[in-house]
Amino acid sequence: MRLGLALGYWGRGPATDHVTLAQEAERLGYDSVWTAESWGSDAFTPLTWIAARTSRIKLGTAVAQMAARSPTTTAMHALTLDHLSGGRTMLGLGLSGPQVVEGWYGRPFPSSPLTATREYVEVVRQVLRREAPVELDGRFHPLPYPGPDGTGLGKPLKPITHPLRADLPVLLGAEGPKNVAQTVRIADGWLPLYWSPTRPEVYGAALTDLPERFVVAPMARVKVCDDVAEGLLPVKAMLGFYIGGMGHAARNFHADLMARMGYEEEARRIQRLFLQGRREEAVLAVPDAFADEISLVGPRERIAERLELWRKGPVTDLLALAPDPHTLRVLAELNRTTGG
């Protein structure tokens, strides 16, 4: 199982330690480093900054939001960074949810998310292959644009810059069983948001016959500490925000996933509390058991024991949301000594 460093996105201001953490991860033998975006910092600029200050570690977006850019724009970002980094880029994409797509990007959330995702990936693939001018008779991402408000002068184009790799990896963040099944068919890898090594059945049969070299790369908070309950507090804060605030009460993909993982009553309670403005209560309402099974928190010996559970399933890469160099180092040591 390879290790990756998941840095997420910035909070109120720029993260001052991301470059040094990425450099330490590279020194320790981590395979990849990942950035993200929500409605603040973007995913590609910090990754480019990190690329200029590292030499080997792979560079991934987990995830770049599809609504933020047309698929050709995203492909341009990916091929540019791939050249600048010497072929280290991995493109992780995610659809996000109606609240963000419509509230932040000012676009309608697609009525058929699976079709929209499939078309997006197809356009990106066409750009990176550069075999012919990009054309797609699509419902959500048609090229050239055929709408009645257009000029009718659109012309199929090939990228001026020749991509470094036609097979630049494309990974998808997906939560629902149908979305995961499609991800296995059309992408090079899957980026689970919450992964429990004891509940693979949550995703149905999609993971039973994976293609060769298919990447399964969940993110998990990792923290070496003596007090497990205290170490789980950042996990619970994240879950409270995503389950309570990252979506509408009637449509929240994160809450739905938590419900499918056996915590339906708790998920709905977290939503209610968060939407009532009782955010601290919402965080405290996150069960320690749920936070614990999707993370690696506690003393070194406990993490070593639990790490074995992650090896027994389909996970190929563990993307560690690790806030300190000590945790990064311990995880690297454990991964080597226990078979990584």
Side-chain angles (χ1 to χ4, degrees):
M1 185 172 65
R2 295 177 295 258
L3 295 180
L5 168 64
L7 295 172
Y9 44 79
W10 295 351
R12 180 173 296 182
T16 59
D17 61 347
H18 280 186
V19 169
T20 55
L21 283 172
Q23 290 172 329
E24 177 67 0
E26 181 173 72
R27 187 188 70 79
L28 291 168
Y30 279 62
D31 186 70
S32 57
V33 57
W34 302 75
T35 56
E37 61 190 10
S38 54
W39 51 90
S41 60
D42 77 283
F44 288 99
T45 308
L47 206 59
T48 305
W49 196 254
I50 291 168
R53 286 157 176 77
T54 56
S55 59
R56 177 198 58 78
I57 198 166
K58 296 173 186 172
L59 309 154
T61 56
V63 293
Q65 296 178 333
M66 291 185 238
R69 309 163 187 86
S70 71
T72 48
T73 306
T74 295
M76 289 166 63
H77 279 299
L79 74 85
T80 303
L81 182 56
D82 206 41
H83 272 291
L84 291 174
S85 66
R88 291 189 278 153
T89 302
M90 296 182 290
L91 180 60
L93 300 170
L95 199 58
S96 192
Q99 186 184 49
V100 176
V101 172
E102 297 183 4
W104 182 247
Y105 295 116
R107 304 181 59 178
F109 188 77
S111 55
S112 178
L114 292 177
T115 301
T117 299
R118 188 166 59 250
E119 291 181 5
Y120 201 103
V121 171
E122 171 57 26
V123 171
V124 169
R125 299 278 203 199
Q126 285 193 42
V127 173
L128 295 175
R129 288 194 299 262
R130 202 180 180 273
E131 295 172 345
V134 179
E135 293 185 88
L136 185 72
D137 182 18
R139 176 179 171 188
F140 298 98
H141 301 290
L143 285 172
Y145 179 70
D149 56 341
T151 65
L153 301 177
K155 176 183 177 182
L157 299 169
K158 293 167 67 174
I160 295 171
T161 304
H162 291 229
L164 183 64
R165 294 182 294 162
D167 59 350
L168 186 153
V170 177
L171 301 90
L172 294 175
E175 294 181 30
K178 291 182 180 178
N179 202 349
V180 174
Q182 174 174 271
T183 297
V184 173
R185 293 195 303 270
I186 69 172
D188 301 300
W190 174 42
L191 297 162
L193 181 59
Y194 313 138
W195 173 262
S196 170
T198 61
R199 300 178 191 262
E201 71 280 357
V202 169
Y203 300 101
L207 305 181
T208 57
D209 189 20
L210 295 175
E212 188 178 359
R213 293 189 295 275
F214 188 83
V215 173
V216 178
M219 285 182 284
R221 172 74 64 175
V222 183
K223 177 66 176 177
V224 178
C225 59
D226 294 328
D227 190 328
V228 174
E230 182 179 344
L232 289 174
L233 285 176
V235 185
K236 295 176 66 168
M238 177 272 293
L239 288 169
F241 176 63
Y242 273 72
I243 292 161
M246 278 277 202
H248 189 270
R251 194 169 189 184
N252 183 313
F253 302 134
H254 309 298
D256 293 344
L257 176 57
M258 182 178 175
R260 289 198 304 275
M261 295 178 77
Y263 296 92
E264 182 169 9
E265 182 178 340
E266 294 88 342
R268 303 312 170 197
R269 181 164 185 263
I270 293 164
Q271 277 189 292
R272 288 194 301 270
L273 290 170
F274 196 95
L275 294 173
Q276 290 169 5
R278 300 157 65 183
R279 298 191 176 189
E280 290 186 10
E281 292 180 66
V283 170
L284 293 176
V286 176
D288 281 7
F290 180 58
D292 195 30
E293 70 179 88
I294 64 170
S295 59
L296 288 162
V297 171
R300 179 188 179 110
E301 296 75 17
R302 185 175 194 265
I303 292 177
E305 179 181 346
R306 294 170 64 82
L307 198 59
E308 289 304 311
L309 292 174
W310 292 72
R311 298 185 188 286
K312 293 179 180 178
V315 173
T316 61
D317 298 70
L318 171 61
L319 309 186
L321 286 158
D324 63 90
H326 174 64
T327 294
L328 285 179
R329 184 170 62 255
V330 170
L331 184 61
E333 293 169 355
L334 292 176
N335 198 48
R336 285 194 295 268
T337 58
T338 57

mmCIF file of all heavy atoms in Angstrom, residues 197-235:
data_model
loop_
_atom_site.group_PDB
_atom_site.id
_atom_site.type_symbol
_atom_site.label_atom_id
_atom_site.label_comp_id
_atom_site.label_asym_id
_atom_site.label_seq_id
_atom_site.Cartn_x
_atom_site.Cartn_y
_atom_site.Cartn_z
ATOM 1 N N PRO A 197 -12.538 0.262 6.385
ATOM 2 C CA PRO A 197 -12.033 -1.032 5.910
ATOM 3 C C PRO A 197 -12.908 -2.206 6.327
ATOM 4 O O PRO A 197 -12.749 -3.304 5.799
ATOM 5 C CB PRO A 197 -10.639 -1.122 6.552
ATOM 6 C CG PRO A 197 -10.679 -0.190 7.707
ATOM 7 C CD PRO A 197 -11.616 0.915 7.332
ATOM 8 N N THR A 198 -13.845 -1.969 7.230
ATOM 9 C CA THR A 198 -14.720 -3.056 7.668
ATOM 10 C C THR A 198 -16.080 -3.028 6.979
ATOM 11 O O THR A 198 -16.927 -3.881 7.246
ATOM 12 C CB THR A 198 -14.936 -2.985 9.193
ATOM 13 O OG1 THR A 198 -15.556 -1.731 9.520
ATOM 14 C CG2 THR A 198 -13.614 -3.103 9.924
ATOM 15 N N ARG A 199 -16.307 -2.062 6.077
ATOM 16 C CA ARG A 199 -17.621 -1.939 5.430
ATOM 17 C C ARG A 199 -17.516 -1.802 3.910
ATOM 18 O O ARG A 199 -18.145 -0.919 3.321
ATOM 19 C CB ARG A 199 -18.377 -0.741 5.981
ATOM 20 C CG ARG A 199 -18.653 -0.775 7.472
ATOM 21 C CD ARG A 199 -19.358 0.494 7.905
ATOM 22 N NE ARG A 199 -19.403 0.614 9.347
ATOM 23 C CZ ARG A 199 -20.439 0.275 10.091
ATOM 24 N NH1 ARG A 199 -21.517 -0.218 9.528
ATOM 25 N NH2 ARG A 199 -20.409 0.433 11.396
ATOM 26 N N PRO A 200 -16.768 -2.625 3.217
ATOM 27 C CA PRO A 200 -16.679 -2.493 1.757
ATOM 28 C C PRO A 200 -18.010 -2.750 1.056
ATOM 29 O O PRO A 200 -18.209 -2.322 -0.084
ATOM 30 C CB PRO A 200 -15.636 -3.550 1.368
ATOM 31 C CG PRO A 200 -15.670 -4.545 2.483
ATOM 32 C CD PRO A 200 -15.965 -3.754 3.717
ATOM 33 N N GLU A 201 -18.928 -3.438 1.724
ATOM 34 C CA GLU A 201 -20.218 -3.746 1.108
ATOM 35 C C GLU A 201 -21.054 -2.492 0.865
ATOM 36 O O GLU A 201 -22.031 -2.533 0.092
ATOM 37 C CB GLU A 201 -21.004 -4.725 1.990
ATOM 38 C CG GLU A 201 -21.553 -4.147 3.290
ATOM 39 C CD GLU A 201 -20.523 -4.040 4.405
ATOM 40 O OE1 GLU A 201 -19.368 -4.476 4.193
ATOM 41 O OE2 GLU A 201 -20.861 -3.524 5.485
ATOM 42 N N VAL A 202 -20.691 -1.383 1.479
ATOM 43 C CA VAL A 202 -21.429 -0.135 1.285
ATOM 44 C C VAL A 202 -21.458 0.262 -0.190
ATOM 45 O O VAL A 202 -22.403 0.880 -0.664
ATOM 46 C CB VAL A 202 -20.794 0.987 2.139
ATOM 47 C CG1 VAL A 202 -21.366 2.352 1.762
ATOM 48 C CG2 VAL A 202 -21.014 0.709 3.619
ATOM 49 N N TYR A 203 -20.426 -0.118 -0.916
ATOM 50 C CA TYR A 203 -20.314 0.280 -2.323
ATOM 51 C C TYR A 203 -20.761 -0.813 -3.279
ATOM 52 O O TYR A 203 -20.495 -0.751 -4.484
ATOM 53 C CB TYR A 203 -18.870 0.704 -2.617
ATOM 54 C CG TYR A 203 -18.457 1.870 -1.750
ATOM 55 C CD1 TYR A 203 -17.667 1.681 -0.615
ATOM 56 C CD2 TYR A 203 -18.894 3.152 -2.032
ATOM 57 C CE1 TYR A 203 -17.318 2.744 0.202
ATOM 58 C CE2 TYR A 203 -18.537 4.227 -1.222
ATOM 59 C CZ TYR A 203 -17.753 4.008 -0.108
ATOM 60 O OH TYR A 203 -17.410 5.071 0.692
ATOM 61 N N GLY A 204 -21.435 -1.811 -2.766
ATOM 62 C CA GLY A 204 -22.005 -2.833 -3.628
ATOM 63 C C GLY A 204 -20.932 -3.697 -4.270
ATOM 64 O O GLY A 204 -19.846 -3.922 -3.728
ATOM 65 N N ALA A 205 -21.250 -4.175 -5.476
ATOM 66 C CA ALA A 205 -20.367 -5.111 -6.172
ATOM 67 C C ALA A 205 -19.302 -4.413 -7.006
ATOM 68 O O ALA A 205 -18.507 -5.080 -7.673
ATOM 69 C CB ALA A 205 -21.201 -6.032 -7.065
ATOM 70 N N ALA A 206 -19.271 -3.085 -6.993
ATOM 71 C CA ALA A 206 -18.366 -2.352 -7.877
ATOM 72 C C ALA A 206 -16.899 -2.671 -7.619
ATOM 73 O O ALA A 206 -16.064 -2.572 -8.520
ATOM 74 C CB ALA A 206 -18.602 -0.848 -7.725
ATOM 75 N N LEU A 207 -16.555 -3.074 -6.398
ATOM 76 C CA LEU A 207 -15.147 -3.255 -6.034
ATOM 77 C C LEU A 207 -14.703 -4.712 -6.086
ATOM 78 O O LEU A 207 -13.587 -5.027 -5.682
ATOM 79 C CB LEU A 207 -14.900 -2.699 -4.634
ATOM 80 C CG LEU A 207 -15.304 -1.233 -4.401
ATOM 81 C CD1 LEU A 207 -14.981 -0.824 -2.975
ATOM 82 C CD2 LEU A 207 -14.599 -0.320 -5.387
ATOM 83 N N THR A 208 -15.548 -5.590 -6.597
ATOM 84 C CA THR A 208 -15.214 -7.014 -6.556
ATOM 85 C C THR A 208 -14.309 -7.446 -7.703
ATOM 86 O O THR A 208 -13.623 -8.445 -7.599
ATOM 87 C CB THR A 208 -16.493 -7.865 -6.585
ATOM 88 O OG1 THR A 208 -17.253 -7.534 -7.751
ATOM 89 C CG2 THR A 208 -17.334 -7.592 -5.338
ATOM 90 N N ASP A 209 -14.310 -6.711 -8.801
ATOM 91 C CA ASP A 209 -13.504 -7.114 -9.959
ATOM 92 C C ASP A 209 -12.876 -5.876 -10.581
ATOM 93 O O ASP A 209 -13.258 -5.430 -11.667
ATOM 94 C CB ASP A 209 -14.380 -7.852 -10.976
ATOM 95 C CG ASP A 209 -13.546 -8.486 -12.084
ATOM 96 O OD1 ASP A 209 -12.333 -8.679 -11.879
ATOM 97 O OD2 ASP A 209 -14.109 -8.765 -13.165
ATOM 98 N N LEU A 210 -11.890 -5.312 -9.905
ATOM 99 C CA LEU A 210 -11.292 -4.055 -10.341
ATOM 100 C C LEU A 210 -10.292 -4.287 -11.473
ATOM 101 O O LEU A 210 -9.604 -5.311 -11.506
ATOM 102 C CB LEU A 210 -10.572 -3.387 -9.169
ATOM 103 C CG LEU A 210 -11.461 -2.925 -8.007
ATOM 104 C CD1 LEU A 210 -10.613 -2.395 -6.864
ATOM 105 C CD2 LEU A 210 -12.450 -1.869 -8.474
ATOM 106 N N PRO A 211 -10.189 -3.343 -12.410
ATOM 107 C CA PRO A 211 -9.183 -3.463 -13.475
ATOM 108 C C PRO A 211 -7.771 -3.482 -12.899
ATOM 109 O O PRO A 211 -7.515 -2.957 -11.807
ATOM 110 C CB PRO A 211 -9.419 -2.201 -14.314
ATOM 111 C CG PRO A 211 -10.781 -1.728 -13.956
ATOM 112 C CD PRO A 211 -11.014 -2.139 -12.540
ATOM 113 N N GLU A 212 -6.869 -4.048 -13.645
ATOM 114 C CA GLU A 212 -5.469 -4.073 -13.224
ATOM 115 C C GLU A 212 -4.941 -2.645 -13.094
ATOM 116 O O GLU A 212 -5.216 -1.785 -13.934
ATOM 117 C CB GLU A 212 -4.633 -4.844 -14.249
ATOM 118 C CG GLU A 212 -3.204 -5.094 -13.820
ATOM 119 C CD GLU A 212 -2.417 -5.905 -14.843
ATOM 120 O OE1 GLU A 212 -3.013 -6.287 -15.868
ATOM 121 O OE2 GLU A 212 -1.226 -6.137 -14.615
ATOM 122 N N ARG A 213 -4.203 -2.396 -12.042
ATOM 123 C CA ARG A 213 -3.599 -1.099 -11.741
ATOM 124 C C ARG A 213 -4.609 -0.011 -11.404
ATOM 125 O O ARG A 213 -4.268 1.170 -11.374
ATOM 126 C CB ARG A 213 -2.674 -0.637 -12.877
ATOM 127 C CG ARG A 213 -1.431 -1.506 -13.052
ATOM 128 C CD ARG A 213 -0.451 -0.894 -14.019
ATOM 129 N NE ARG A 213 -1.005 -0.816 -15.364
ATOM 130 C CZ ARG A 213 -0.974 -1.808 -16.238
ATOM 131 N NH1 ARG A 213 -0.418 -2.962 -15.917
ATOM 132 N NH2 ARG A 213 -1.480 -1.661 -17.447
ATOM 133 N N PHE A 214 -5.865 -0.379 -11.156
ATOM 134 C CA PHE A 214 -6.856 0.609 -10.738
ATOM 135 C C PHE A 214 -6.511 1.087 -9.330
ATOM 136 O O PHE A 214 -6.221 0.289 -8.440
ATOM 137 C CB PHE A 214 -8.260 0.003 -10.761
ATOM 138 C CG PHE A 214 -9.365 0.999 -10.519
ATOM 139 C CD1 PHE A 214 -9.847 1.775 -11.559
ATOM 140 C CD2 PHE A 214 -9.912 1.153 -9.255
ATOM 141 C CE1 PHE A 214 -10.863 2.692 -11.344
ATOM 142 C CE2 PHE A 214 -10.925 2.070 -9.027
ATOM 143 C CZ PHE A 214 -11.403 2.843 -10.077
ATOM 144 N N VAL A 215 -6.549 2.393 -9.130
ATOM 145 C CA VAL A 215 -6.147 3.001 -7.863
ATOM 146 C C VAL A 215 -7.364 3.222 -6.975
ATOM 147 O O VAL A 215 -8.372 3.781 -7.423
ATOM 148 C CB VAL A 215 -5.434 4.346 -8.111
ATOM 149 C CG1 VAL A 215 -5.154 5.069 -6.799
ATOM 150 C CG2 VAL A 215 -4.133 4.116 -8.885
ATOM 151 N N VAL A 216 -7.289 2.775 -5.741
ATOM 152 C CA VAL A 216 -8.294 3.078 -4.721
ATOM 153 C C VAL A 216 -7.563 3.834 -3.619
ATOM 154 O O VAL A 216 -6.728 3.266 -2.914
ATOM 155 C CB VAL A 216 -8.952 1.804 -4.165
ATOM 156 C CG1 VAL A 216 -9.952 2.155 -3.059
ATOM 157 C CG2 VAL A 216 -9.642 1.028 -5.279
ATOM 158 N N ALA A 217 -7.864 5.133 -3.504
ATOM 159 C CA ALA A 217 -7.056 6.004 -2.658
ATOM 160 C C ALA A 217 -7.927 6.826 -1.709
ATOM 161 O O ALA A 217 -8.227 7.999 -1.982
ATOM 162 C CB ALA A 217 -6.205 6.924 -3.532
ATOM 163 N N PRO A 218 -8.353 6.252 -0.596
ATOM 164 C CA PRO A 218 -9.151 7.011 0.370
ATOM 165 C C PRO A 218 -8.289 7.956 1.200
ATOM 166 O O PRO A 218 -7.110 7.707 1.442
ATOM 167 C CB PRO A 218 -9.744 5.914 1.259
ATOM 168 C CG PRO A 218 -8.738 4.812 1.197
ATOM 169 C CD PRO A 218 -8.160 4.859 -0.187
ATOM 170 N N MET A 219 -8.915 9.035 1.640
ATOM 171 C CA MET A 219 -8.280 9.943 2.578
ATOM 172 C C MET A 219 -8.670 9.549 4.001
ATOM 173 O O MET A 219 -9.815 9.162 4.243
ATOM 174 C CB MET A 219 -8.701 11.385 2.312
ATOM 175 C CG MET A 219 -8.033 11.984 1.092
ATOM 176 S SD MET A 219 -8.501 13.708 0.835
ATOM 177 C CE MET A 219 -10.153 13.489 0.166
ATOM 178 N N ALA A 220 -7.723 9.658 4.906
ATOM 179 C CA ALA A 220 -8.001 9.337 6.308
ATOM 180 C C ALA A 220 -7.151 10.223 7.199
ATOM 181 O O ALA A 220 -5.952 10.391 6.951
ATOM 182 C CB ALA A 220 -7.693 7.864 6.597
ATOM 183 N N ARG A 221 -7.779 10.775 8.205
ATOM 184 C CA ARG A 221 -7.012 11.539 9.192
ATOM 185 C C ARG A 221 -6.090 10.583 9.939
ATOM 186 O O ARG A 221 -6.517 9.537 10.423
ATOM 187 C CB ARG A 221 -7.969 12.218 10.169
ATOM 188 C CG ARG A 221 -7.295 12.879 11.353
ATOM 189 C CD ARG A 221 -6.576 14.162 10.998
ATOM 190 N NE ARG A 221 -7.490 15.189 10.540
ATOM 191 C CZ ARG A 221 -7.126 16.447 10.264
ATOM 192 N NH1 ARG A 221 -5.849 16.801 10.392
ATOM 193 N NH2 ARG A 221 -8.015 17.326 9.839
ATOM 194 N N VAL A 222 -4.811 10.934 10.018
ATOM 195 C CA VAL A 222 -3.836 10.120 10.743
ATOM 196 C C VAL A 222 -3.198 11.002 11.807
ATOM 197 O O VAL A 222 -2.740 12.105 11.513
ATOM 198 C CB VAL A 222 -2.758 9.551 9.802
ATOM 199 C CG1 VAL A 222 -1.809 8.644 10.581
ATOM 200 C CG2 VAL A 222 -3.386 8.793 8.643
ATOM 201 N N LYS A 223 -3.190 10.517 13.037
ATOM 202 C CA LYS A 223 -2.613 11.293 14.132
ATOM 203 C C LYS A 223 -2.056 10.364 15.189
ATOM 204 O O LYS A 223 -2.776 9.534 15.759
ATOM 205 C CB LYS A 223 -3.681 12.191 14.762
ATOM 206 C CG LYS A 223 -3.203 12.995 15.965
ATOM 207 C CD LYS A 223 -2.151 14.031 15.573
ATOM 208 C CE LYS A 223 -1.752 14.901 16.760
ATOM 209 N NZ LYS A 223 -0.666 15.863 16.398
ATOM 210 N N VAL A 224 -0.766 10.460 15.437
ATOM 211 C CA VAL A 224 -0.131 9.708 16.510
ATOM 212 C C VAL A 224 -0.284 10.508 17.802
ATOM 213 O O VAL A 224 0.212 11.634 17.913
ATOM 214 C CB VAL A 224 1.355 9.452 16.211
ATOM 215 C CG1 VAL A 224 2.006 8.700 17.370
ATOM 216 C CG2 VAL A 224 1.519 8.680 14.914
ATOM 217 N N CYS A 225 -1.006 9.936 18.756
ATOM 218 C CA CYS A 225 -1.256 10.633 20.015
ATOM 219 C C CYS A 225 -1.622 9.608 21.088
ATOM 220 O O CYS A 225 -1.980 8.473 20.777
ATOM 221 C CB CYS A 225 -2.382 11.654 19.853
ATOM 222 S SG CYS A 225 -3.949 10.950 19.306
ATOM 223 N N ASP A 226 -1.553 10.014 22.331
ATOM 224 C CA ASP A 226 -1.890 9.114 23.439
ATOM 225 C C ASP A 226 -3.390 9.050 23.690
ATOM 226 O O ASP A 226 -3.922 7.998 24.057
ATOM 227 C CB ASP A 226 -1.163 9.563 24.716
ATOM 228 C CG ASP A 226 0.347 9.414 24.604
ATOM 229 O OD1 ASP A 226 0.787 8.469 23.905
ATOM 230 O OD2 ASP A 226 1.070 10.234 25.185
ATOM 231 N N ASP A 227 -4.065 10.171 23.512
ATOM 232 C CA ASP A 227 -5.495 10.267 23.822
ATOM 233 C C ASP A 227 -6.309 10.109 22.544
ATOM 234 O O ASP A 227 -6.363 11.019 21.713
ATOM 235 C CB ASP A 227 -5.784 11.617 24.474
ATOM 236 C CG ASP A 227 -7.194 11.712 25.050
ATOM 237 O OD1 ASP A 227 -8.110 11.082 24.473
ATOM 238 O OD2 ASP A 227 -7.390 12.424 26.055
ATOM 239 N N VAL A 228 -6.946 8.954 22.366
ATOM 240 C CA VAL A 228 -7.697 8.679 21.141
ATOM 241 C C VAL A 228 -8.868 9.642 20.994
ATOM 242 O O VAL A 228 -9.110 10.191 19.904
ATOM 243 C CB VAL A 228 -8.195 7.215 21.119
ATOM 244 C CG1 VAL A 228 -9.097 6.975 19.908
ATOM 245 C CG2 VAL A 228 -7.012 6.250 21.106
ATOM 246 N N ALA A 229 -9.608 9.871 22.064
ATOM 247 C CA ALA A 229 -10.779 10.748 21.998
ATOM 248 C C ALA A 229 -10.385 12.157 21.569
ATOM 249 O O ALA A 229 -11.051 12.787 20.739
ATOM 250 C CB ALA A 229 -11.493 10.774 23.352
ATOM 251 N N GLU A 230 -9.293 12.649 22.115
ATOM 252 C CA GLU A 230 -8.821 13.985 21.737
ATOM 253 C C GLU A 230 -8.357 13.999 20.283
ATOM 254 O O GLU A 230 -8.598 14.948 19.540
ATOM 255 C CB GLU A 230 -7.692 14.423 22.659
ATOM 256 C CG GLU A 230 -7.172 15.828 22.375
ATOM 257 C CD GLU A 230 -6.067 16.245 23.328
ATOM 258 O OE1 GLU A 230 -5.907 15.582 24.381
ATOM 259 O OE2 GLU A 230 -5.364 17.226 23.029
ATOM 260 N N GLY A 231 -7.692 12.932 19.868
ATOM 261 C CA GLY A 231 -7.216 12.852 18.497
ATOM 262 C C GLY A 231 -8.328 12.780 17.477
ATOM 263 O O GLY A 231 -8.146 13.159 16.310
ATOM 264 N N LEU A 232 -9.492 12.294 17.918
ATOM 265 C CA LEU A 232 -10.630 12.184 17.007
ATOM 266 C C LEU A 232 -11.400 13.490 16.845
ATOM 267 O O LEU A 232 -12.235 13.598 15.945
ATOM 268 C CB LEU A 232 -11.594 11.095 17.492
ATOM 269 C CG LEU A 232 -11.118 9.652 17.348
ATOM 270 C CD1 LEU A 232 -12.120 8.711 18.001
ATOM 271 C CD2 LEU A 232 -10.918 9.278 15.877
ATOM 272 N N LEU A 233 -11.148 14.480 17.685
ATOM 273 C CA LEU A 233 -11.911 15.723 17.623
ATOM 274 C C LEU A 233 -11.822 16.413 16.255
ATOM 275 O O LEU A 233 -12.846 16.879 15.735
ATOM 276 C CB LEU A 233 -11.477 16.676 18.737
ATOM 277 C CG LEU A 233 -11.975 16.324 20.145
ATOM 278 C CD1 LEU A 233 -11.399 17.278 21.181
ATOM 279 C CD2 LEU A 233 -13.501 16.346 20.190
ATOM 280 N N PRO A 234 -10.630 16.514 15.620
ATOM 281 C CA PRO A 234 -10.594 17.116 14.278
ATOM 282 C C PRO A 234 -11.390 16.304 13.252
ATOM 283 O O PRO A 234 -11.965 16.873 12.316
ATOM 284 C CB PRO A 234 -9.100 17.133 13.935
ATOM 285 C CG PRO A 234 -8.397 17.079 15.238
ATOM 286 C CD PRO A 234 -9.263 16.240 16.113
ATOM 287 N N VAL A 235 -11.420 14.985 13.412
ATOM 288 C CA VAL A 235 -12.207 14.145 12.509
ATOM 289 C C VAL A 235 -13.688 14.457 12.690
ATOM 290 O O VAL A 235 -14.437 14.615 11.716
ATOM 291 C CB VAL A 235 -11.952 12.651 12.782
ATOM 292 C CG1 VAL A 235 -12.676 11.794 11.753
ATOM 293 C CG2 VAL A 235 -10.457 12.347 12.772
#
